[in-house]
Amino acid sequence: MKYEIGVIGAGIVGAAVAYRLRTVLPEATLLVLEKESEPAAHQSGRNSGVIHSGIYYKPGSLKALLCSRGRELLYEFAAREGIPHERCGKLILAVELSELPRLHALYERGIQNGIPGIRLLSPAEIPQYEPEARGVGAIHVPVTGIIDYRAVVQRLLQKSQADIRYNALVERLISTESGYEIHASGSIYRASYCIFCTGLQADRLARLDGLHPPLRIVPFRGDYYELRPEARWKVRHLIYPLPHPTYPVLGVHLTRMIDGGVEAGPNAVFAWAREIYTRHGFSIRDTIEALSFSGTWRFFFRHWREGLEEYRRAFSRRAFWRSVQRLVPSLEMEDLVPARSGIRALALTKGGSFWDDFYFVAKERSLHVLNAPSPAATAALALAEVIVQKALQTWKLSSSVPIAGS
Ligand SMILES: Cc1cc2nc3c(=O)[nH]c(=O)nc-3n(C[C@H](O)[C@H](O)[C@H](O)COP(=O)(O)OP(=O)(O)OC[C@H]3O[C@@H](n4cnc5c(N)ncnc54)[C@H](O)[C@@H]3O)c2cc1C
């Protein structure tokens, strides 16, 4: 059988794309190929579970626009489909007086981004929201929430009514006049068009498809601790520090999860493998690809201070504890229990900067999502609208007519 559209990757972006395709092309035959035995096995199932507000991002950027729209679409979807979630709100804390100008600048950015209900808090107001948190000022962001992203991915895939093949590692693509022959784990699939949503492998799939992407995916691991049950009361909702001004992470935060646990993390250290989740995980191929790329070294030189600090925190529970104890002084080191890890796909340019927005490239019969960093889980439903629109425009397909060449 030849499918009309193949989606490669069953993370949240691939799942949202398949769902969106079903909405605009109700009759199309859709195929989803995923190399793991289940959906959301990588970034989408190993993230912080936060529905971001959109406060952080450069006004007018795709991240800012799609995070806000995606957030509301996600709340609607979760409510309609009965997926566990909560619009619980979060605090962003300034802990030292020197941080106040950055806190105020972030608040102004939130206003520019149209984030509803945000409010600057005085130190005396902080305990009304988080009795154990301390700061010299804070922003309360009421629209931030928490959700079970694995459940979201599963439901999106189910509703897409696509044929889904797990344990299907796409290794070879043969492009023909009328589409693709996709070689995956010993089977051959055919599709007129393909959308690649392959997260940590995005640059490799693009090269497989004859593109020369200007970005290289470099993996950065994030480790989490969880609070032991007796200490969970110290964190009611979500407590974040101010984000680092230049390093591409939000900083170690405290997050109540939808299952009732509380997590602290993640840090961000260079990882020696794209998809191995232990602290000593190592892949020769991934390491050679990362370290033979000039952008990685330029990034290291530019951020060596932050990199060393992150490494110290990765191997020292005390250093990790100090980062969260700044936010909640009553937390004790014994409250932190080592937990899981996730790995981010950081898209670096040759010049050593990280690509700070969503990025996709379309060609005659394919579209590649080359960069879908945080808040892509929050934004997925809105991101999928843009991806599908761009794909259909490039391929000169209309959503109301059957797909040609199938
Ligand atoms: C530690 C961490 C915390 C985060 N916290 C948040 C948060 O709280 N809120 C938020 O909005 N965002 C968060 N993010 C970001 C968000 O999780 C990601 O941006 C998003 O999940 C990316 O989704 P994706 O579908 O592009 O990638 P992925 O989820 O990685 O999915 C890609 C899929 O493609 C498959 N694949 C790859 N290559 C092939 C191949 N050759 N053949 C077949 N299948 C293939 C993979 O197996 C994988 O299942 C976080 C990310 C991390 C890592």
Side-chain angles (χ1 to χ4, degrees):
M1 164 174 183
K2 183 173 180 187
Y3 291 88
E4 285 161 336
I5 305 183
V7 176
I8 318 302
I12 196 161
V13 177
V17 163
Y19 174 75
R20 179 70 187 160
L21 285 168
R22 174 59 62 224
T23 313
V24 299
L25 297 166
E27 305 299 327
T29 50
L30 303 178
L31 168 72
V32 175
L33 294 176
E34 166 55 53
K35 68 180 164 59
E36 305 297 343
S37 56
E38 54 176 8
H42 294 293
Q43 297 176 93
S44 304
R46 294 174 168 272
N47 62 25
S48 299
V50 175
I51 301 178
H52 286 297
S53 64
I55 188 172
Y56 297 111
Y57 315 114
K58 194 170 157 202
S61 63
L62 270 182
K63 267 189 180 182
L65 299 170
L66 300 183
C67 185
S68 285
R69 177 162 170 76
R71 176 192 77 221
E72 291 311 312
L73 290 176
L74 184 58
Y75 276 127
E76 277 169 32
F77 182 79
R80 204 167 55 236
E81 298 296 326
I83 292 168
H85 70 287
E86 192 186 327
R87 200 186 284 246
C88 57
K90 87 169 177 185
L91 285 190
I92 305 171
L93 289 180
V95 176
E96 291 163 23
L97 286 174
S98 60
E99 293 178 343
L100 278 179
R102 274 169 53 218
L103 186 83
H104 291 147
L106 184 60
Y107 174 77
E108 287 307 323
R109 179 168 271 202
I111 297 292
Q112 283 177 45
N113 280 332
I115 310 303
I118 53 171
R119 218 160 69 74
L120 274 172
L121 303 184
S122 67
E125 289 174 298
I126 292 171
Q128 290 169 23
Y129 296 91
E130 290 287 351
E132 295 298 304
R134 295 289 174 273
V136 294
I139 305 172
H140 180 239
V141 189
V143 291
T144 302
I146 52 177
I147 194 162
D148 178 349
Y149 278 118
R150 276 180 193 266
V152 174
V153 175
Q154 275 161 1
R155 191 61 54 85
L156 287 169
L157 288 171
Q158 187 194 347
K159 301 222 78 159
S160 77
Q161 292 166 20
D163 282 351
I164 306 174
R165 300 282 180 271
Y166 294 107
N167 303 307
L169 168 71
V170 174
E171 296 157 304
R172 193 163 166 233
L173 296 165
I174 299 179
S175 165
T176 66
E177 288 257 301
S178 63
Y180 281 96
E181 211 177 84
I182 310 164
H183 294 242
S185 299
S187 301
I188 299 176
Y189 303 88
R190 288 181 182 80
S192 301
Y193 301 92
C194 279
I195 301 185
F196 295 84
C197 310
T198 47
L200 285 149
Q201 308 291 339
D203 53 344
R204 288 178 178 157
L205 272 294
R207 288 200 294 274
L208 217 55
D209 192 19
L211 288 170
H212 302 283
L215 304 171
R216 175 75 51 99
I217 299 294
V218 176
F220 273 72
R221 205 187 64 245
D223 306 310
Y224 292 86
Y225 284 78
E226 56 189 18
L227 296 199
R228 57 185 177 138
E230 302 86 315
R232 285 179 187 166
W233 63 271
K234 297 179 186 178
V235 178
R236 278 199 189 165
H237 307 113
L238 310 179
I239 308 176
Y240 279 60
L242 275 169
H244 193 279
T246 55
Y247 202 59
V249 290
L250 294 182
V252 168
H253 44 264
L254 289 152
T255 314
R256 185 154 59 74
M257 306 300 283
I258 202 69
D259 66 4
V262 176
E263 286 191 339
N267 54 358
V269 283
F270 171 75
W272 304 94
R274 293 194 188 195
E275 295 176 347
I276 303 176
Y277 294 94
T278 54
R279 274 167 213 222
H280 301 285
F282 180 76
S283 145
I284 290 192
R285 182 187 178 195
D286 294 348
T287 302
I288 290 177
E289 275 194 26
L291 297 184
S292 61
F293 181 59
S294 59
T296 309
W297 290 101
R298 293 197 169 107
F299 181 85
F300 286 164
F301 286 127
R302 192 169 294 165
H303 294 289
W304 66 270
R305 251 180 243 281
E306 297 90 340
L308 281 182
E309 177 56 27
E310 292 286 347
Y311 253 100
R312 210 165 63 84
R313 216 163 30 184
F315 290 97
S316 158
R317 182 156 68 131
R318 178 172 293 279
F320 200 100
W321 162 66
R322 288 229 170 89
S323 321
V324 285
Q325 205 221 10
R326 281 180 87 231
L327 308 172
V328 175
S330 62
L331 278 176
E332 290 165 21
M333 200 161 78
E334 293 65 40
D335 290 338
L336 297 179
V337 182
R340 66 197 178 92
S341 298
I343 298 182
R344 301 176 185 82
L346 202 67
L348 294 184
T349 65
K350 271 195 183 143
S353 20
F354 59 96
W355 195 271
D356 194 23
D357 210 347
F358 302 133
Y359 182 55
F360 19 87
V361 174
K363 52 182 229 172
E364 308 83 51
R365 286 184 174 269
S366 65
L367 182 146
H368 290 259
V369 179
L370 285 172
N371 193 35
S374 185
T378 304
L381 289 166
L383 189 56
E385 290 177 343
V386 175
I387 290 169
V388 168
Q389 190 188 19
K390 177 154 179 146
L392 297 187
Q393 268 170 3
T394 309
W395 304 337
K396 300 195 172 48
L397 297 180
S398 142
S399 53
S400 54
V401 294
I403 297 177
S406 52

